[in-house]
Amino acid sequence: MKPIPYGKQHITEEDINSVVEVLKSDFLTQGPKIEEFEKAFAEYIGSKYAVAVANGTAALHLCILSLDVKPGDKVITSPITFAASANCVRYAGGDVVFADIDPETYLLDINKVEELLKASPKGTYKGIIPVDFAGRAIDLEAFRKLADEYDCWIIEDACHAPGGYFIDTKGQKQFCGNGSFAELAIFSFHPVKHIACGEGGMITTNNKKLYKKLQLLRTHGINKDPDLLIENHGGWYYEMQELGFNYRLTDIQAALGISQLKQAEARLKRRREIAANYTNAFIDKSFIKGLSGSLEGHGYHLYVIEVEDRKNLYNHLRKNKIFTQVHYIPVHLMPYYKKFGWKKDDFPNAENYYNRCLSLPMYPTLSNEEQEFVIETINKFYE
Ligand SMILES: Cc1ncc(COP(=O)(O)O)c(C=O)c1O
């Protein structure tokens, strides 16, 4: 049996050919492939607009800037996420405020967020960054209601969940990042994600003003649109109107993204099959707590189990060349965030989850045979 990682990209001949085509073309960066990728992605997700950027972290940074986060502004997020979901607030000098997770879904607990909002005067918190952790879509309809009550914006960190959805109170599917409830949503195209660009990210929104601002911030704050220039000296003229960045995606990466996107639905279907196999295999095993709650619409970037004796299981699997992972070490316990006063026991659900969680191999090309080997190896460890 070959080594089995927890996640892996799948690059086809078609993907390679699309990249080679760009390499032979006139544009390597910010050419026609960017707009093509943005349009196709927005259509897939169900948002009005999409802005392609260098990576998911750059996407978060630009969202924070477009919402005018200032030093000292307080923004709430989950401790069970990748550090970037919190770091973006710090880039603008804002304060990250963590709230505990729901122990069943592992998502930011709306009740804990409400407790925070209620405990301070309105306006204390500027925004909320809920995360569709592991691919499970967070109920943004409920978060929107709460956010409106307290004048907060929402950035949905949907890096784990392109194609994921939740069912709203009208019985409609609400796809992650579709902009129905959040001002902005972000995605990552890191190789272990659903769509691989090497590095890459996308921001989706239904808000035209934010869309225009994001486009400007992505390229140094430079505007070339003749209708929007303050002066105009001629055909060459442009103006730097905001302090922006070079957060562009290249056409090479966008071509790969377009090609990968064509396979996204089929691959999501395979992820869901793999998840169902794990769920069935572990349903009656007392040593494993599998996923609970409604799993409809889960995007399964990760398949997480909770177990006793996690460290020894992790090492046992490694010995058998099965490379699982832990997602995530709670962000509030990172040395950087501890400097702000966050400490152990601040978030019992997140910390208890961290002590027990393990992400099993989950990627579309994982074969049934490989998955059976993973399940057997786990069962043998406990039996
Ligand atoms: C939840 C979450 N947010 C943000 C990011 C950042 O994305 P990137 O690695 O593309 O910068 C990641 C990537 O790992 C992520 O998992």
Side-chain angles (χ1 to χ4, degrees), residues 259-290:
S259 182
Q260 289 260 305
L261 185 58
K262 288 181 190 151
Q263 303 150 48
E265 260 322 285
R267 290 180 179 185
L268 182 54
K269 191 163 160 259
R270 176 65 188 146
R271 282 176 184 271
R272 287 178 173 149
E273 272 169 23
I274 293 168
N277 292 343
Y278 278 136
T279 303
N280 290 336
F282 298 135
I283 205 152
D284 54 0
K285 303 285 188 211
S286 58
F287 46 82
I288 289 180
K289 180 175 173 258

Side-chain angles (χ1 to χ4, degrees), residues 42-176:
E43 195 177 315
Y44 178 61
I45 293 301
S47 68
K48 273 194 193 153
Y49 310 107
V51 180
V53 291
N55 53 62
T57 307
L60 283 163
H61 188 193
L62 292 189
C63 287
I64 285 289
L65 292 176
S66 71
L67 292 165
D68 274 332
V69 172
K70 302 263 184 319
D73 283 356
K74 290 188 182 341
V75 177
I76 302 169
T77 194
S78 170
I80 297 299
T81 184
F82 185 59
S85 316
N87 293 350
C88 60
V89 179
R90 294 293 310 135
Y91 296 157
D95 294 339
V96 181
V97 181
F98 297 100
D100 210 351
I101 59 162
D102 174 329
E104 293 304 316
T105 61
Y106 313 143
L107 303 176
L108 182 63
D109 185 340
I110 192 164
N111 298 313
K112 301 282 192 237
V113 174
E114 189 168 12
E115 278 170 26
L116 278 174
L117 294 171
K118 263 191 184 155
S120 302
K122 209 167 159 175
T124 302
Y125 294 93
K126 301 294 178 210
I128 310 168
I129 307 180
V131 182
D132 300 312
F133 171 70
R136 196 197 285 258
I138 197 159
D139 180 353
L140 282 186
E141 189 183 24
F143 269 95
R144 180 75 266 164
K145 207 160 155 258
L146 186 64
D148 283 346
E149 237 177 277
Y150 290 90
D151 292 337
C152 289
W153 46 253
I154 298 175
I155 300 172
E156 177 186 9
D157 185 334
C159 281
H160 294 185
Y165 64 85
F166 72 93
I167 304 292
D168 71 10
T169 49
K170 294 194 185 97
Q172 303 289 318
K173 285 182 186 176
Q174 293 290 348
F175 284 89
C176 297

